[in-house]
Amino acid sequence: MEALFGKSAGQICNMTDTDLFPPEVAAQLQRSDQQISDGAVAASDELDLTINGVLMRCLWLKFPVIGPDGRIIFIGSVMLDISRQEDVAEMRQSLEQLQQTNQKLQKTLVELDRLAQHR
């Protein structure tokens, strides 16, 4: 994302989809956010994007990061360039690892909350 947009990670983290993309793309990504808000464990979209004059086929993966109270802290987002098909299997494996890590993080947050309440 840093290379695509010419911005630092800190700058990108403070931006919304509307800040980064044309209205039609931002609207599609916002529908994914709504799916997450409605309880989906993940959402994905395949989008054709032109960034700095370069057309890319991207797979957007969104997932909730849940706090110890069971509420969404934020929606994580990963963009993968799927223009090259040989990378798709590796990307799907990365998604599975992200989902497993997210589940472990959620369990850890619940355990930390439980420990904090017992002290």
Side-chain angles (χ1 to χ4, degrees):
M1 296 289 286
E2 290 175 323
L4 287 175
F5 293 108
K7 298 182 184 311
S8 71
Q11 291 171 308
I12 293 169
C13 286
N14 293 321
M15 299 179 86
T16 66
D17 293 337
T18 304
D19 296 328
L20 292 168
F21 302 105
E24 64 278 0
V25 172
Q28 187 170 355
L29 293 172
Q30 287 172 351
R31 285 190 293 274
S32 295
D33 288 346
Q34 187 61 51
Q35 289 175 345
I36 298 297
S37 295
D38 291 342
V41 295
S44 65
D45 287 296
E46 287 189 27
L47 303 168
D48 291 316
L49 300 174
T50 301
I51 300 175
N52 297 328
V54 177
L55 179 64
M56 297 174 58
R57 181 80 175 157
C58 299
L59 175 62
W60 277 90
L61 307 167
K62 293 200 173 194
F63 52 92
V65 176
I66 308 295
D69 62 356
R71 297 175 64 186
I72 296 174
I73 299 172
F74 63 89
I75 297 174
S77 183
V78 177
M79 182 195 77
L80 304 168
D81 179 359
I82 59 171
S83 301
R84 299 183 321 221
Q85 289 299 317
E86 62 272 11
D87 293 339
V88 172
E90 182 179 328
M91 291 176 208
R92 295 205 187 279
Q93 183 179 16
S94 295
L95 172 61
E96 289 174 18
Q97 289 173 341
L98 279 171
Q99 289 173 330
Q100 290 172 2
T101 301
N102 188 26
Q103 289 174 350
K104 288 176 186 176
L105 175 61
Q106 290 175 26
K107 289 178 183 177
T108 300
L109 287 171
V110 168
E111 180 63 17
L112 286 173
D113 185 56
R114 186 186 68 75
L115 290 171
Q117 291 178 11
H118 286 89
R119 290 195 172 200

